[in-house]
Amino acid sequence: MSAITLQNRCFDEIDIGDYAGVQHTLSMRDIQLFATVAGDFNPTHLEAAFANHAGFSGATAPGMWLGAQISGILGSQLPGPGTVYSGQNLQFHAAAILGDTLEISVTVREKYPESHLISFDCLCRNQHGQTIMTGIAKVIAPSEKITLTRPDAGLVSVQTHHAFEALLERCNDLPCFSVAIAHPCDESSLKAAIAVASHHLMQPILVGPAAKIKAVAAQYQLDISAFRLEDTPHSHAAASRAVELVTSGEAAILMKGSLHTDELMSAVVKSSLRTERRISHVFIMDVPTYHKPLLVTDAAINIYPELLDKADICQNAIDLAHILGIAQPKVAILSAVETINPKILSTLEAASLCKMADRGQITGGILDGPLALDNAISYESARIKQINSPVAGDADILLVPDLEAGNILAKQLTFMSNADAAGIVLGARVPIVLTSRADNDRTKLASCAIACLIAQAKL
């Protein structure tokens, strides 16, 4: 039978001593899937540190995950389709550890013709020959011969977020930078300030109407007594004062509170924080369906950037990638198509940016474009379209044509692909954190961690 065809064995076709089994290397995906379906979130199975503390040498498989493997053998192989489970009695002698290669099998023990009941000896051993599990399973074998295409059980994926944890770990040895938070007059902003302080990432300076900030803190029972408070009459004044604190060196990082982004950025561009480099925004995205972190730029600041603006936007993102530990980031310059078309301006600009990189006007990365999104992130799509490129299918940075395209792409990845999106503004003399009320705690902390890494790199 092929891998997609199932055929059973009826009661009369089965003899005592008949055997069926599988070999499987235990992965974290196995454990996570079982935890999600069964609701078994025992940290012994999901967290190596907890398992080690409990005396194991790594995360362990739940006992009933092994029982489920027995069920799979009985229902798909022996007897196969039409089998009805009657009972199971298992004993566990040792733990199955993450990475173990397991031999899991059933062997016919007894047959009961009057009821079509068959009992099986169950066995699981690891790659060292150590017995992990033994037991007996009983099933009612089918009486009708069945051959069928394996039914579609649906597609299942495990989506996890680990990229941002690594960013936070990199900040463990950094100094606690001061951050001026402009107009933190809502619950989200104050909770973010408390979170960064509790993780020893930053020491917040709250800049805004003092009475309003204290009222919000009291309303949501938030303790802000340890933070410096700079009283200003309104959001415009808060933006200006926060920028002053950064330009004077009293704070190393600027962070948006509950004011509008354009209010804060207007104060920035009027100050000495502005440099010759174009200011731009980068989303650092942890996309569960992509094989590494993905930087998307610019989706928040520059509405319709021209060619030279895009060169700066690209260089900002490359410089950030270096700080994040990507030695030679691959930049995919996006358009609707992968060929140059004079009627589509973004394809001409993509080609120009690549040539600028060839001539040293953009440094530190590998550029290719124009590339459609599928070519940038999918090896298979690039192969089908015969695109021979070191960037295609493996992009670190997606340089979008304009803010509309970038904003749609980032939100699509967030809300349809369950991506986490941290964000940072680059091109100024200090990192600027733009958070949103829609951000979860993980992404807010990640944005602040990235700002700390940038601040450290500027020392």
Side-chain angles (χ1 to χ4, degrees), residues 28 34 62 64 68 105 196 213 243 258 306-307 342 388 391 415 431 456:
M28 182 51 72
F34 187 85
M64 291 315 300
S105 64
V196 297
I213 293 172
V243 168
S258 58
E306 298 179 352
L307 177 62
N388 183 16
V391 175
F415 293 101
Q456 178 67 19

Side-chain angles (χ1 to χ4, degrees), residues 111-132:
K111 296 180 64 179
Y112 304 90
E114 65 280 3
S115 60
H116 276 205
L117 191 74
I118 301 178
S119 67
F120 291 83
D121 287 320
C122 306
L123 177 64
C124 173
R125 290 194 178 103
N126 64 18
Q127 68 273 22
H128 306 298
Q130 182 183 21
T131 298
I132 303 296

Side-chain angles (χ1 to χ4, degrees), residues 15 28 52 65 76 84 87 112 120 175 182 190 213-214 236-237 246 303 321 341 388 403 418-419 439 441 444 450:
D15 298 319
M28 182 51 72
N52 293 338
W65 178 84
S76 298
V84 177
Y112 304 90
F120 291 83
L190 291 182
I213 293 172
K214 290 177 181 179
H236 287 291
V246 177
I303 299 175
N341 185 335
N388 183 16
L403 183 144
N418 296 321
D439 292 344
D441 293 342
K444 289 177 183 177
I450 293 164

Side-chain angles (χ1 to χ4, degrees), residues 14 56 84 90 98 107 114 175 179 181-182 194 246 250 263 266 295 298 321 330 335-336 356 365 368 380 399 455:
I14 298 172
F56 299 102
V84 177
L90 302 176
L98 184 67
T107 303
E114 65 280 3
V179 55
I181 306 179
I194 292 169
V246 177
E250 293 183 69
E263 286 184 273
S266 176
L295 278 61
D298 179 350
K330 299 175 181 179
S335 184
M356 291 171 76
D368 195 10
E380 182 62 15
L399 182 64

Side-chain angles (χ1 to χ4, degrees), residues 12 74 128 135 163 179 194 208 250 284 358 377 390 393 447:
D12 293 337
L74 294 170
H128 306 298
V179 55
I194 292 169
E250 293 183 69
I284 302 89
D358 291 343
I377 62 175
S447 298

